[in-house]
Amino acid sequence: MSDLAARITELEIKLGFAEDLIDTLNGTVFRQQEQIDLLQSQLTELYRRMREAEGQERRDPGEEIPPHY
């Protein structure tokens, strides 16, 4: 095998590994973005519920009956 052919083979091998790594990283980034989107929607829903609860009548904790009664 000539020196040029050996160099081309080495580059093809490295390219194959690089493509595999890129595919793996793309999958990881995709899953992380899905998790970020889910967390963002949960945070938005939590914020909405918090704002709704602020508008409701506030009770004095001292007036509530303890759970064992």
Side-chain angles (χ1 to χ4, degrees):
M1 183 183 272
S2 72
D3 187 43
L4 181 60
R7 290 176 58 195
I8 290 173
T9 301
E10 183 67 26
L11 288 172
E12 288 174 338
I13 292 170
K14 287 182 179 183
L15 177 63
F17 282 121
E19 287 175 339
D20 184 54
L21 178 60
I22 289 171
D23 287 342
T24 301
L25 290 173
N26 280 337
T28 301
V29 169
F30 179 79
R31 285 188 305 279
Q32 287 178 340
Q33 187 60 51
E34 284 182 322
Q35 291 175 336
I36 290 169
D37 293 342
L38 176 63
L39 290 169
Q40 184 64 44
S41 66
Q42 289 174 338
L43 181 62
T44 301
E45 177 65 17
L46 183 61
Y47 181 75
R48 184 189 64 77
R49 288 183 183 185
M50 184 185 74
R51 298 296 287 178
E52 285 177 358
E54 286 178 353
Q56 295 176 356
E57 177 184 331
R58 295 185 181 191
R59 297 180 185 166
D60 181 12
E63 294 177 2
E64 292 187 17
I65 298 174
H68 61 277
Y69 284 105

